[in-house]
């Protein structure tokens, strides 16, 4: 059994690419405009700016805030220690200082009880990462941002379509519902549409969502070589644009995203209800998670992975080495972050995607229960 069957998931959407090829227009065209409009409406923000990938989306947010004078070299950004390295790369690339905060072992998300003690006079923002498809936002985080005047940046690379049930202080005046999608909770959010994501392209693509008109204008210019008008360059920008093929595919898949996420939740529910093993910790039930990844923790992770592979079940590890132990951040290698390190030593991702059958999910659950 494949960990993720992209062929089956993507088979219905090839027509979107064919339509773009027939149009003869491949960049900055109608398909991109249409997807940006539809995705902004879906997320619940005023703006969506397509770009090359999720890392660029994060990097452009911080770069735009620097151009606007909101951030300066050496400012600090609080970020979860348990995350994919892209979250941190976007901070250091902008000459900002990441401040790593441990996760809550029960949610695997940033521990909101530890954030306030990490704030200094140089803190300017908090980045939350909706890791594994689960909402990382809490009312405590919103309150901290409001009290300290901090920007809230969302890394929404893994949680397309996830709903947040917490009250967001900046949204109370503009919405009648407590429910807000991730990507619309903070000052700005970055989205990755890497092929394996819940909303995945046929290649690389990303986007920024925000309600900030000025920020959106600067981000769009920065991603287009720094140009706001043809051959007029206001910033030293970069080339980071979503192409028409990816935009058309994403727009077609967006219509099915909620149904795809609902199917992921059904698969996750089978695991949650069936897996009963003293050495395997499964995620706490979270009705809002869109289960981009179904992570289990096991002290004998490598043995479990080999056991499942012997029975034809592919798995992944997200992620084997935490950012603070990577060679590229040697200055952090001596840091001790025991909760993060435990997660990275024990995490195993089991198949959970909309092309799976209930029978396949039950087979995986039974195999987990039989692990010795």
């Amino acid at each position: 059994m494949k960990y993720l069957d992209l062929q089956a998931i993507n088979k219905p959407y090839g027509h979107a690419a064919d339509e773009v090829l027939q149009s003869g227009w491949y960049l900055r065209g109608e398909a991109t405009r249409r997807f940006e409009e539809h995705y902004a409406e879906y997320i619940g923000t005023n703006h969506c700016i397509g770009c090359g990938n999720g890392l660029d989306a994060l990097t452009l947010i911080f770069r735009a805030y620097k151009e606007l004078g909101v951030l300066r070299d050496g400012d600090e950004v609080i970020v979860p220690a348990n995350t994919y390295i892209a979250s941190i790369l976007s901070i250091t690339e902008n000459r900002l200082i990441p401040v790593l905060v441990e996760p809550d072992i029960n949610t695997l998300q940033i521990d909101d009880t530890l954030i306030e003690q990490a704030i200094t006079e140089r803190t300017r923002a908090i980045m939350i990462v909706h890791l594994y498809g689960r909402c990382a936002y809490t009312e405590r985080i919103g309150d901290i941002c409001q009290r300290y005047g901090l920007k809230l940046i969302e890394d929404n690379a893994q949680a397309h379509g996830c709903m947040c049930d917490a009250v967001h202080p900046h949204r109370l005046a503009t919405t009648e519902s407590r429910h807000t999608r991730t990507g619309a909770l903070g000052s700005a959010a970055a989205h990755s549409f890497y092929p394996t994501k819940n909303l995945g392209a046929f290649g690389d693509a990303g986007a920024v969502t925000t309600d900030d008109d000025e920020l959106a204008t600067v981000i769009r210019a920065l991603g287009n070589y720094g140009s706001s008008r043809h051959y007029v360059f206001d910033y030293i920008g970069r080339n980071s644009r979503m192409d028409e093929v990816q935009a058309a595919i994403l727009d077609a898949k967006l219509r099915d995203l909620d149904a795809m996420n609902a199917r992921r939740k059904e698969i996750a529910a089978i695991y949650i209800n069936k897996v009963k093993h003293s050495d395997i910790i499964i995620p706490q039930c979270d009705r809002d998670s869109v289960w981009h990844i179904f992570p289990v923790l096991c002290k004998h992770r490598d043995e479990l992975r080999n056991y499942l592979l012997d029975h034809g079940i592919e798995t992944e590890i997200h992620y084997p080495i935490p950012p603070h132990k990577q060679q590229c951040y040697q200055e952090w290698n001596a840091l001790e972050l025991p909760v993060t390190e435990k997660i990275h030593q024990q995490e195993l991702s089991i198949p959970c995607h909309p092309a799976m059958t209930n029978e396949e999910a039950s087979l995986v659950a039974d195999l987990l229960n039989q692990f010795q």
Side-chain angles (χ1 to χ4, degrees), residues 4 35 55 72 98 148 194 320:
L4 179 63
F35 172 70
L55 174 57
R72 294 175 175 82
Y148 288 90
Y194 186 76

Side-chain angles (χ1 to χ4, degrees), residues 276-341:
K276 310 292 181 185
H277 193 297
S278 58
D279 290 334
I280 299 174
I281 300 172
I282 63 171
Q284 294 180 348
C285 184
D286 182 352
R287 65 184 178 85
D288 292 325
S289 177
V290 292
W291 301 107
H292 171 61
I293 291 167
F294 193 98
V296 303
L297 299 182
C298 181
K299 293 178 181 178
H300 310 289
R301 188 259 311 279
D302 294 341
E303 292 88 339
L304 176 60
R305 189 180 197 197
N306 290 333
Y307 160 78
L308 289 172
L309 188 58
D310 287 343
H311 287 82
I313 309 299
E314 293 181 357
T315 59
E316 293 288 345
I317 297 173
H318 297 93
Y319 302 95
I321 305 173
H324 71 283
K325 296 297 184 183
Q326 296 285 353
Q327 180 71 14
C328 62
Y329 290 119
Q330 294 181 56
E331 64 273 24
W332 294 342
N333 287 174
L335 282 178
E336 294 184 4
L337 298 168
V339 180
T340 295
E341 290 161 23

Side-chain angles (χ1 to χ4, degrees), residues 1-5 293 314-316 318 349-353:
M1 184 190 307
K2 293 181 179 179
Y3 172 72
L4 179 63
D5 192 344
I293 291 167
E314 293 181 357
T315 59
E316 293 288 345
H318 297 93
S349 305
I350 60 176
C352 184
H353 60 81

Side-chain angles (χ1 to χ4, degrees), residues 115-126:
I115 291 176
E116 198 160 6
Q117 67 193 50
I119 294 174
T120 74
E121 61 181 14
R122 296 305 302 270
T123 306
R124 297 291 180 270
I126 298 173

Side-chain angles (χ1 to χ4, degrees), residues 217-228:
T217 298
V218 176
I219 288 173
R220 190 174 294 281
L222 285 170
N224 186 37
Y225 297 96
S227 174
S228 57

